[in-house]
Amino acid sequence: SAVISQKPSRDICQRGTSLTIQCQVDSQVTMMFWYRQQPGQSLTLIATANQGSEATYESGFVIDKFPISRPNLTFSTLTVSNMSPEDSSIYLCSVGIEGTTEAFFGQGTRLTVV
Amino acid sequence: RKEVEQDPGPFNVPEGATVAFNCTYSNSASQSFFWYRQDCRKEPKLLMSVYSSGNEDGRFTAQLNRASQYISLLIRDSKLSDSATYLCAVNRGSSASKIIFGSGTRLSIRP
């Protein structure tokens, strides 16, 4: 497995502002992903964070709203831009490790937009 | 149609009962199947991977039916500590680790 650290663990933000969430892994991983979990809902895949290139977004998610960076094999950021109360969710980073197919998750970032 | 469909429950059963969860998936190219457990305000944790031959881990049994694109999880002799949300998860085609989740089934075990 891998140790995945997400920062911040929670935040309360004003609408119209942006928040950048960081995901740090303790080892090099092949795949990194970002998920959103809205209140009372399951996890929805936002995008695959590609190392050194633009992220691959799922239907319904766009780069202008959720810009993602992945400068190396152990680190990624997700920015939630121009936030509204509807963006209040838990945002989770997950990683895939060579030789395995399951995903491992960070502890999540609980975002509240007021 | 959703990629992964799951009965959201909630299931409320007495301690010691046997409970079964079902899940269907739409992508016939999926190769990997999982059950995750999520406790309140926590991240999902892998409970079991699901193999074609079926697999058992203590009180938990998972089965896969590729022809029907159906996954199940059976919990025997349920404990209070089994109360959680159980998420069915399937990888997106051949993309390892790109996992799509079902809506989750909430389970409450009562004394």
Side-chain angles (χ1 to χ4, degrees):
Chain A
S1 63
V3 177
I4 305 161
S5 301
Q6 262 186 255
K7 283 196 282 191
S9 59
R10 60 177 62 232
D11 207 341
I12 301 173
C13 300
Q14 296 288 327
R15 67 180 69 198
T17 63
S18 297
L19 176 72
T20 295
I21 302 167
Q22 298 181 0
C23 178
Q24 178 74 55
V25 192
D26 68 341
S27 57
Q28 293 188 347
V29 294
T30 50
M31 308 290 284
M32 293 182 81
F33 305 94
W34 287 97
Y35 288 82
R36 178 176 74 182
Q37 188 170 27
Q38 294 175 299
Q41 304 294 315
S42 187
L43 286 80
T44 301
L45 181 62
I46 297 172
T48 304
N50 299 310
Q51 194 255 328
S53 65
E54 190 173 292
T56 305
Y57 289 85
E58 297 297 310
S59 175
F61 297 96
V62 295
I63 188 171
D64 290 346
K65 177 67 176 175
F66 297 103
I68 288 170
S69 79
R70 190 179 174 192
N72 56 52
L73 292 175
T74 64
F75 185 77
S76 178
T77 66
L78 167 74
T79 299
V80 186
S81 302
N82 187 25
M83 289 183 284
S84 67
E86 291 71 35
D87 294 321
S88 297
S89 291
I90 300 172
Y91 292 86
L92 295 126
C93 168
S94 82
V95 304
I97 299 171
E98 188 81 36
T100 70
T101 55
E102 64 260 38
F104 301 92
F105 285 87
Q107 73 272 32
T109 297
R110 186 177 295 273
L111 171 62
T112 302
V113 183
V114 297
Chain B
R1 184 186 171 188
K2 288 184 180 178
E3 288 187 72
V4 183
E5 299 216 48
Q6 208 180 332
D7 181 349
F11 284 58
N12 187 321
V13 303
E15 199 172 4
T18 296
V19 60
F21 304 139
N22 302 317
C23 171
T24 58
Y25 61 95
S26 62
N27 188 340
S28 59
S30 294
Q31 298 293 321
S32 302
F33 310 90
F34 312 95
W35 284 100
Y36 279 78
R37 169 186 170 136
Q38 187 173 29
D39 292 291
C40 189
R41 305 178 81 84
K42 299 283 189 181
E43 73 275 18
K45 295 281 179 65
L46 181 67
L47 178 66
M48 300 177 74
S49 298
V50 188
Y51 305 115
S52 296
S53 55
N55 47 306
E56 188 172 313
D57 183 2
R59 298 181 292 108
F60 298 84
T61 300
Q63 292 194 310
L64 167 66
N65 183 322
R66 283 188 185 272
S68 302
Q69 296 182 198
Y70 171 96
I71 306 161
S72 65
L73 176 69
L74 185 75
I75 305 176
R76 289 181 300 278
D77 188 24
S78 53
K79 312 291 184 191
L80 295 175
S81 58
D82 293 334
S83 297
T85 296
Y86 291 82
L87 299 158
C88 174
V90 176
N91 79 313
R92 169 81 63 70
S94 59
S95 178
S97 303
K98 181 184 262 191
I99 291 175
I100 306 302
F101 287 85
S103 58
T105 300
R106 183 172 292 184
L107 174 64
S108 293
I109 307 297
R110 62 180 186 269

